[in-house]
């Protein structure tokens, strides 16, 4: 058990819809990362938050947004969903924001767009 | 930009065979290097890491050495077990103001009894 909790585990929805993925980091970790894992793109970094502030942005579409709340949990919002957004979305947390400490991954949310 | 390239899988071995999974990277500066493992239906787990040239990371019988001259971080294990069957990801962290990871495409390892 990594200590990182992601909900829901599975999400099935239709094109054009909007969903919210939730992540609770390990106790004490200030940094949260979101990654997307798909068959064609592999594992890609989306966005990082550190103590409530956006720290780095990767290949995140404009239809996607995220935030980290004062209690340090994070949400990833995906809107105007397309078939190509079907993927496994991972959240990871670490105690620092610079990569000197390892990242601990949740079990992921599997998003299926019908 | 920075990138990581892993050997393509799947890699199929018999139990107690020697394992090598190749990983090379392209990066500016001095990245930290990692191997993560993903078991079916689970998230990624850190297997080992190295933060500077010539460092050797090791864990659970797995080893990898940070080779700056060949920009490589190959994963090795002397004797694999069926329980090692999983997907292995090589990754780098650029450091600086972010710990974001750049991953290779992953290598599936199947170990047969």
């Amino acid at each position: 058990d990594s200590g990182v909790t992601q909900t829901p585990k599975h999400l099935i929805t239709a094109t054009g819809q909007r969903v919210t993925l939730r992540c609770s980091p390990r106790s004490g970790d200030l940094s949260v990362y979101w990654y997307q894992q798909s068959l064609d793109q592999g594992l890609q970094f989306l966005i990082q938050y550190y103590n409530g502030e956006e720290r780095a942005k990767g290949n995140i579409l404009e239809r996607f947004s995220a935030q980290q709340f004062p209690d340090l949990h994070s949400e990833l919002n995906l809107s105007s969903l397309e078939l190509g957004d079907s993927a496994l979305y991972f959240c990871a947390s670490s105690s620092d924001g610079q990569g000197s400490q390892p990242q601990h991954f949740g079990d992921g949310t599997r998003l299926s767009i019908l | 930009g920075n990138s990581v390239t892993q050997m393509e899988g799947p890699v199929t071995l018999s139990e107690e065979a020697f394992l090598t999974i190749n990983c090379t990277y392209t990066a500016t500066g001095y990245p930290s290097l990692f191997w993560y493992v993903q078991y079916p239906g689970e998230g990624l787990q850190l297997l080992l890491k190295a933060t500077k040239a010539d460092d050797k990371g090791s864990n659970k019988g797995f080893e990898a050495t940070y080779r700056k001259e060949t920009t490589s971080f190959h994963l090795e294990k002397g004797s694999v077990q069926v329980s090692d069957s999983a997907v292995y990801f090589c990754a780098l962290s650029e450091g600086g103001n972010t710990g974001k990871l750049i991953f290779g495409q992953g290598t599936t390892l199947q170990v047969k009894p």
Side-chain angles (χ1 to χ4, degrees):
Chain A
D1 181 13
S2 69
V4 178
T5 304
Q6 288 188 249
T7 56
K9 290 192 185 306
H10 302 277
L11 206 46
I12 302 174
T13 188
T15 55
Q17 296 299 304
R18 173 188 169 94
V19 297
T20 298
L21 282 51
R22 182 188 169 100
C23 170
S24 294
R26 281 193 332 158
S27 177
D29 283 356
L30 297 177
S31 200
V32 168
Y33 302 80
W34 286 97
Y35 295 89
Q36 179 193 60
Q37 185 178 33
S38 62
L39 283 176
D40 54 343
Q41 298 288 330
L43 255 171
Q44 295 221 321
F45 167 73
L46 294 178
I47 196 163
Q48 175 197 1
Y49 281 84
Y50 181 79
N51 204 20
E53 301 285 329
E54 182 184 303
R55 178 64 68 95
K57 222 170 193 176
N59 298 323
I60 186 166
L61 299 171
E62 285 192 12
R63 300 184 286 107
F64 295 2
S65 64
Q67 55 185 325
Q68 186 179 28
F69 294 87
D71 67 352
L72 300 177
H73 91 271
S74 178
E75 292 181 356
L76 179 67
N77 301 295
L78 315 177
S79 61
S80 302
L81 287 168
E82 302 175 359
L83 293 177
D85 298 329
S86 295
L88 195 49
Y89 292 85
F90 284 110
C91 167
S93 73
S94 68
S95 55
D96 77 327
Q98 291 83 28
S100 61
Q101 298 301 317
Q103 293 181 28
H104 301 270
F105 283 76
D107 287 342
T109 293
R110 183 170 295 282
L111 176 63
S112 299
I113 313 300
L114 302 179
Chain B
N2 297 342
S3 65
V4 176
T5 302
Q6 289 179 235
M7 62 186 286
E8 293 212 10
V11 173
T12 303
L13 296 173
S14 297
E15 209 165 20
E16 298 184 3
F18 185 86
L19 168 71
T20 300
I21 300 178
N22 290 338
C23 171
T24 57
Y25 67 90
T26 301
T28 54
Y30 303 95
S32 295
L33 301 174
F34 304 84
W35 276 100
Y36 280 83
V37 58
Q38 184 179 30
Y39 298 101
E42 298 183 14
L44 281 75
Q45 300 175 25
L46 178 66
L47 184 58
L48 53 84
K49 70 173 187 176
T51 57
K52 61 183 188 297
D54 299 326
D55 266 3
K56 178 186 278 189
S58 61
N59 185 27
K60 299 180 182 178
F62 291 90
E63 293 183 340
T65 301
Y66 189 143
R67 301 282 188 203
K68 193 170 188 305
E69 64 276 12
T70 54
T71 62
S72 65
F73 193 55
H74 304 322
L75 182 69
E76 296 182 336
K77 186 175 186 183
S79 175
V80 293
Q81 306 300 313
V82 172
S83 57
D84 294 325
S85 298
V87 182
Y88 291 81
F89 291 91
C90 185
L92 71 81
S93 173
E94 302 168 334
N97 200 36
T98 173
K100 70 177 184 183
L101 293 171
I102 296 171
F103 287 92
Q105 61 268 48
T107 302
T108 299
L109 170 65
Q110 296 174 336
V111 180
K112 299 190 172 180

